Amino acid sequence: ADGRARLWLRVDPAVGPVEADAAPLDLERERSPLLLQGLLLAPSREGTPQDGFLSAEELAGYDLGGGEWAVLAACSTGEGRIEAGEGVFGLQRALHLAGVRTTVTTLWPVEDGAAREWTRAFYAARLEHGRSPTNAAADAARALLQRRRQEGKNTHPFFWAAFIASG
């Protein structure tokens, strides 16, 4: 009614959806699927006039060809707009276009505690045991599932299966 889009954030599955105001819809962003996602960055200390939003389109323009892998361990970082015959346009595709060989993203909002535990297990498998990013992601998911079983916690895939490696 007021011309503003409504953004629904799901922070904690036990709490339910939380409504937040979002900026008015930008029709130009609707035209380019890589403008729909991005990274919100802290303001520059130099005071340069930047909006603080690094769109997936801008990210795709960087030369990250030396990057072997990138991890985006925040909620829903693997999402994007699906284009027929093209697949998903989002942060994962932008990183691949920029030259990163393997990306690790999430398919849905992740619970903070489980995400922390998964991330620790991922980096241990990757850095301490020399596993590939893809194998480290699978190892981390199995380790988290096993630990949740041992502790009698909920083993629903929501807690351990959100992270995927691509590339």
Side-chain angles (χ1 to χ4, degrees), residues 69-137:
W69 50 292
V71 177
L72 299 176
C75 294
S76 306
T77 54
E79 291 183 359
R81 187 154 89 186
I82 299 172
E83 297 288 326
E86 291 291 331
V88 179
F89 281 84
L91 292 169
Q92 183 180 49
R93 172 160 304 198
L95 285 165
H96 285 298
L97 289 171
V100 176
R101 288 184 27 207
T102 303
T103 60
V104 177
T105 57
T106 60
L107 296 175
W108 54 78
V110 291
E111 190 267 332
D112 286 344
R116 261 190 313 276
E117 191 173 335
W118 184 95
T119 302
R120 283 186 190 117
F122 172 82
Y123 280 102
R126 180 75 184 108
L127 300 175
E128 294 172 16
H129 303 293
R131 305 283 285 158
S132 72
T134 304
N135 289 335

Side-chain angles (χ1 to χ4, degrees), residues 18-39:
V18 178
E19 183 179 0
D21 284 329
L25 290 177
D26 182 345
L27 295 179
E28 187 60 34
R29 287 186 181 221
E30 288 298 314
R31 292 187 187 106
S32 175
L34 288 178
L35 288 172
L36 295 173
Q37 285 201 330
L39 302 171

